[in-house]
Amino acid sequence: MGIIWLPSGGGGGEGSDECTLMLQDVPRGLKAITKDSDDEAREGTLNTETSATDTIVLSGETYMKFNPETKHWEKHTGSLVNRGAWTTRIGINGKALIPAGFHNGAGYVDQAVTNRGAWTSNVGMNGEVTVPEGYHNGSGKVSGPSVTQRGAVTAALNCGGSYTIPEGYHNGAGKVTANSLASQTNGNAGAADIISGRSSWVNGSKVVGSMADYRSTPTEIDAIRLNNSRFEVAVKAGCHGYSWAGNGYEYMSYAQVASAIGLSAGVIKKGVRIMNLIGTFEGYVPTATDLYLRGQNIANFTRYSNYGFPVFDVGQLTLTAANEQHAMQANFSLIGYNRLNFELYKTGWLGNTPYRSIAIQHTDGDLSSSVDLDSALNVQQTVSIDISALNISGSMAITFHRWKGYIYRIWLS
C-alpha cells in the first residue's frame, strides 16, 4: 500500500524516502507526497479513464473503478451473463437467436436432418403413403400393388354357402352355381329319430318324426340301480329337455334316492332332516374346539413324563386305581380362550385328601393353572379350569390328581 505523507506544521518528521507510493499511482488531479516527489506535494500522473462497465464484466466478478466526482476508488461487481459453451439446434431453413452474454467459444449451432437414403414403400390399390421428412438420395421408390390374373373363376355352393372372390383380374367368363338339394341333405335319420310333430329333410326327402316328446314337463325316473360301481338311472325312451336354468332334466323322488344309496333315519344324526328323513342316530360329532370327545383323540394326546396314562376306551378316558396321578400331553393353543372344560364322572378317591384336582401346564413348566374337584361321586358333571391368564400355545400337559373315574369330553371355550 502506498503512503501519502501530509507534512505537519512543525519541523522534522518523515519525508519522501519513507513513502512507497509513486506519482504514477496517484490519479490525475490529486496531489500527494510520494517516493518520487522530493518531499513536495505533487499532482499524480495515473490516467483513471476506463471503458469497463458492469455489463461487460462477468457476473459475480469484481473490479475497481475511480470516481472522478468523489475522488475515490470504488469496487464494482459485473453483471455479464456467463453462457459458457452455449449450443442450439435449428431446423431446415430455420434460425436461432443467440442470447446476450459471455460465450467461451466451445458452443455451436447445428442442424439435424435424417438421412433416408433410398427410401421405398408399397401402396395398396387407390391407397396413399406419407413420405417421411429427411434427405432422400433419389434412388428410392413407391410401388403399387401387383394384380393377379384370375381368368374365368368358377365355384359351386350349397344352400346358405358363400364364396370369397379372390382379388385380381377376372375376364367375365367365371360363374358361381348352386348344388342340388339331395347332395346337401345327406343323413340316416328315420321318423323314430325325430321328435313327434317335427319334420326334417333327409337325402332330399321330407321325414315326419314320431319320437315321444317329454319336454313340456319333467318325468319321474323309471328305475335306479347301483351297477358296476356307478349310479344308474332309467328314463323313458324319447326326447327329454324340460328347461331348468337353461338345462334339461328329469327327477328322482327322495324315496328312490334314499333307497338306492342305503340312506335311513338310523344313519342320520338325531333331529337332522335329510330328504324327508329325520335322523335318529345319537352319535357324537366333535366341534372345532374339542380336544377329546367320546373316544376320539382329536388333539392326539400321548403319555406325559412318568405319570400313569389314562386308558383310551371306546367312548371315554378311564382313570384307574393303578396310579394316583394320570397325565397326558399334546400340542394345542390356549390363545383366545378363557376356559378348559372337562365332562367327567368321578367314582372314587386315591391317596390322601389334598390335591384332588385337574391341572394344565406348559411342558416347559413356566405357566400352569388348575381346579380343585368337589366331593360329589357317581355324578356326571362339567369342571372348568380358568386359562384366561395363560395365553400360550405349544406342548401342553394335563394332569389328573388322586381320583378315579371317566372323562367323556375335553374342550376349549
Side-chain angles (χ1 to χ4, degrees):
M1 177 180 292
I3 298 175
I4 299 177
W5 178 56
L6 300 176
S8 62
E14 297 179 342
S16 295
D17 292 340
E18 284 73 27
C19 296
T20 58
L21 191 69
M22 306 292 285
L23 289 175
Q24 62 183 19
D25 300 319
V26 179
R28 291 178 183 174
L30 297 181
K31 290 183 177 181
I33 296 176
T34 63
K35 187 174 182 65
D36 56 350
S37 67
D38 294 329
D39 295 336
E40 294 183 5
R42 296 186 180 183
E43 183 177 345
T45 62
L46 178 63
N47 185 2
T48 59
E49 295 181 0
T50 178
S51 60
T53 64
D54 293 350
T55 59
I56 64 174
V57 176
L58 283 178
S59 176
E61 301 294 333
T62 59
Y63 66 99
M64 300 299 293
K65 188 173 183 179
F66 185 74
N67 189 331
E69 294 181 359
T70 63
K71 307 301 182 181
H72 294 298
W73 289 96
E74 297 175 349
K75 183 178 180 180
H76 289 254
T77 302
S79 61
L80 178 64
V81 178
N82 189 348
R83 301 292 180 179
W86 180 85
T87 62
T88 191
R89 176 167 290 178
I90 61 174
I92 295 176
N93 298 324
K95 63 181 180 179
L97 181 64
I98 300 174
F102 171 76
H103 296 256
N104 65 9
Y108 58 86
V109 177
D110 65 0
Q111 184 178 62
V113 178
T114 303
N115 187 350
R116 301 295 180 179
W119 179 85
T120 62
S121 181
N122 294 318
V123 62
M125 190 73 69
N126 297 323
E128 61 181 23
V129 64
T130 300
V131 179
E133 181 184 9
Y135 168 75
H136 295 255
N137 65 11
S139 60
K141 60 182 179 180
V142 176
S143 303
S146 60
V147 179
T148 303
Q149 174 62 263
R150 299 294 181 181
V153 175
T154 62
L157 297 178
N158 288 332
C159 181
S162 64
Y163 172 69
T164 301
I165 300 173
E167 181 182 9
Y169 171 76
H170 296 256
N171 63 12
K175 61 181 179 180
V176 177
T177 58
N179 293 323
S180 67
L181 180 60
S183 67
Q184 300 176 58
T185 57
N186 291 332
N188 55 8
D193 302 314
I194 301 173
I195 297 174
S196 178
R198 301 297 178 92
S199 61
S200 179
W201 287 87
V202 181
N203 297 324
S205 299
K206 184 177 182 180
V207 178
V208 179
S210 61
M211 180 189 298
D213 186 358
Y214 297 106
R215 294 175 301 164
S216 61
T217 182
T219 60
E220 184 174 358
I221 289 172
D222 286 345
I224 306 169
R225 69 180 181 183
L226 297 177
N227 186 39
N228 296 326
S229 300
R230 63 187 181 185
F231 193 78
E232 298 178 343
V233 296
V235 296
K236 295 179 175 64
C239 178
H240 300 262
Y242 185 77
S243 179
W244 173 32
N247 302 296
Y249 78 97
E250 304 305 340
Y251 68 87
M252 298 166 55
S253 68
Y254 283 164
Q256 285 178 310
V257 176
S259 176
I261 64 177
L263 184 65
S264 66
V267 297
I268 302 173
K269 183 179 179 181
K270 185 176 181 179
V272 175
R273 182 188 184 97
I274 299 178
M275 293 194 301
N276 283 340
L277 294 173
I278 299 176
T280 59
F281 177 64
E282 296 185 5
Y284 296 92
V285 179
T287 65
T289 57
D290 282 325
L291 302 177
Y292 172 85
L293 177 63
R294 297 280 181 171
Q296 300 180 64
N297 189 5
I298 302 163
N300 296 317
F301 286 107
T302 59
R303 180 182 295 275
Y304 174 64
S305 189
N306 296 322
Y307 296 112
F309 188 51
V311 178
F312 279 74
D313 287 330
V314 174
Q316 67 206 23
L317 291 175
T318 301
L319 307 181
T320 68
N323 301 95
E324 287 189 9
Q325 297 187 81
H326 298 78
M328 56 188 187
Q329 66 177 2
N331 285 315
F332 54 94
S333 175
L334 305 183
I335 298 174
Y337 298 102
N338 295 317
R339 309 195 76 77
L340 178 63
N341 309 291
F342 300 82
E343 184 179 349
L344 53 84
Y345 188 95
K346 303 189 299 292
T347 60
W349 306 112
L350 301 172
N352 297 327
T353 300
Y355 309 118
R356 290 170 177 172
S357 62
I358 304 175
I360 181 173
Q361 68 177 38
H362 200 281
T363 56
D364 63 12
D366 289 344
L367 295 171
S368 65
S369 185
S370 63
V371 60
D372 293 330
L373 302 179
D374 60 25
S375 60
L377 293 176
N378 302 315
V379 176
Q380 186 168 326
Q381 60 185 165
T382 297
V383 174
S384 299
I385 300 177
D386 184 356
I387 59 172
S388 59
L390 298 187
N391 200 38
I392 55 176
S393 63
S395 179
M396 305 290 177
I398 300 177
T399 307
F400 308 96
H401 297 280
R402 296 177 177 173
W403 62 278
K404 61 181 179 178
Y406 311 102
I407 300 170
Y408 304 117
R409 183 186 179 197
I410 305 174
W411 74 100
L412 295 163
S413 64

